[in-house]
Amino acid sequence: MQKQKRMKQITAILLIIILLAIVGSTIFFAVTGSQLFWISLFLMFFFPIFLWAMSFLYKWSKNKNE
């Protein structure tokens, strides 16, 4: 039980770091005028929605199996 809680904490920290990196790269690409700005901007909106959908499906499938 303790190991599962620790794993969730590590995953949450990694996802926060990834989200901050995406926001930072979007700002960097906007300032430099790079063509990667649009890809980074799309990723900045798509990635959190994707994470929410995956967590929703996980909870839905977990409740359905029980």
Side-chain angles (χ1 to χ4, degrees):
M1 188 70 163
Q2 185 69 12
K3 188 175 183 178
Q4 186 179 12
K5 182 180 178 183
R6 184 73 175 156
M7 193 62 136
K8 285 183 180 181
Q9 289 175 340
I10 291 171
T11 304
I13 290 171
L14 286 175
L15 289 175
I16 289 171
I17 291 171
I18 290 170
L19 287 171
L20 289 175
I22 291 171
V23 171
S25 66
T26 304
I27 293 171
F28 174 76
F29 292 141
V31 170
T32 60
S34 174
Q35 292 292 331
L36 295 174
F37 168 72
W38 295 108
I39 296 170
S40 184
L41 187 65
F42 172 76
L43 189 61
M44 191 170 83
F45 288 104
F46 175 74
F47 191 66
I49 294 170
F50 174 74
L51 291 177
W52 174 83
M54 293 305 292
S55 67
F56 176 77
L57 290 175
Y58 173 75
K59 290 176 186 177
W60 180 70
S61 67
K62 187 175 176 183
N63 290 338
K64 193 174 186 179
N65 290 336
E66 291 178 356

